[in-house]
Amino acid sequence: MNCTMNRERVLSGSNGYARELGIDILAEMTARVLVSGPVRWLDLCCGSGRAAADAARLLAGRGMTEQVEIVGLDLVDHFVTGPFHPSLRLVTASVVEWVPDGRFDMVTCVHGLHYVGDKLGVLARVASWLADDGLFVANFDARSVRRTDGTLAGRRLTAELCRQGFAYDSARRRISRRGCAQVRFPYRYLGADDQAGPNYTGQPAVDLFYEPLT
């Protein structure tokens, strides 16, 4: 399913990361290099890795190859063909199991969370992967998170996200946070429904079921 949503997505334009996430990846990375030195970007559910490869190439053109590291992670290893700039690494692994080798200044996920089990668990993991001033931005549909009886988790969930340091834009269905944290959501993951049907994107997605711990 992520093949449809993100496999050939690029950095900018009508099909780009800038439109989906509301940030200019190149500008963000360039600014961080100029202010604080080497920068690491992790792109989760990166599809073919085209956007990550484009970023590596463009940043190399700005003389920043030695100052940036880009990691693209996807469950399917159908990546764009190389040769790649040394600043880029494409990894085949599950976002719910993969363990990074350090923290990141920026973590993104364009429409990948729609197809992931235990979304809240992934959000908690990502929070621990950020640098102290790191930025996380992703597409996230809170309506995919449901109680045991199938009803929407609703305002209690969005309030908990806010309490844990995340910002949720319900109109754009976008979640973000700044800074590293050890997050513990007060929910127990029960399982997923991969037959939930299309979500707001028009593509089939996965609904998740949780029960409160208290």
Side-chain angles (χ1 to χ4, degrees):
M1 285 181 286
N2 195 38
C3 291
T4 303
M5 289 303 301
N6 198 41
R7 183 140 300 277
E8 298 302 325
R9 198 176 298 276
V10 294
L11 279 175
S12 59
S14 60
N15 190 42
Y17 275 41
R19 177 177 178 179
E20 296 299 330
L21 300 179
I23 61 171
D24 185 325
I25 299 291
L26 290 180
E28 182 78 19
M29 294 188 74
T30 299
R32 285 176 175 265
V33 167
L34 294 175
V35 171
S36 57
V39 171
R40 303 185 80 205
W41 169 33
L42 170 62
D43 189 25
L44 300 173
C45 305
C46 69
S48 69
R50 181 177 174 184
D54 286 347
R57 174 179 54 81
L58 292 168
L59 289 166
R62 299 179 183 183
M64 295 183 178
T65 299
E66 301 299 322
Q67 297 172 291
V68 300
E69 180 183 354
I70 302 172
V71 179
L73 182 78
D74 200 85
L75 187 62
V76 181
D77 64 350
H78 294 166
F79 298 125
V80 292
T81 56
F84 301 123
H85 288 277
S87 57
L88 173 65
R89 179 161 53 102
L90 297 174
V91 179
T92 305
S94 167
V95 67
V96 301
E97 298 176 351
W98 182 71
V99 178
D101 58 1
R103 295 184 182 182
F104 293 88
D105 302 282
M106 184 166 55
V107 180
T108 58
C109 187
V110 177
H111 291 299
L113 292 179
H114 305 320
Y115 317 114
V116 172
D118 192 8
K119 293 176 174 62
L120 299 185
V122 170
L123 292 179
R125 299 187 82 219
V126 168
S128 71
W129 298 346
L130 290 170
D132 290 341
D133 63 343
L135 173 65
F136 166 60
V137 187
N139 303 109
F140 177 74
D141 186 6
R143 293 178 60 85
S144 67
V145 179
R146 298 178 178 268
R147 303 184 183 96
T148 54
D149 62 1
T151 58
L152 300 178
R155 292 182 179 178
R156 178 174 178 176
L157 170 65
T158 53
E160 182 62 28
L161 289 170
C162 183
R163 192 181 74 81
Q164 295 281 3
F166 293 88
Y168 181 61
D169 184 336
S170 59
R172 294 180 175 84
R173 296 180 178 88
R174 188 183 294 158
I175 192 166
S176 62
R177 75 166 290 127
R178 283 195 179 270
C180 181
Q182 297 299 318
V183 171
R184 298 288 184 271
F185 288 110
Y187 298 98
R188 179 181 293 109
Y189 175 59
L190 300 177
D193 176 12
D194 63 0
Q195 302 298 314
N199 66 359
Y200 73 97
T201 66
Q203 297 294 322
V206 175
D207 281 351
L208 292 306
F209 297 87
Y210 293 84
E211 64 178 6
L213 295 178
T214 56

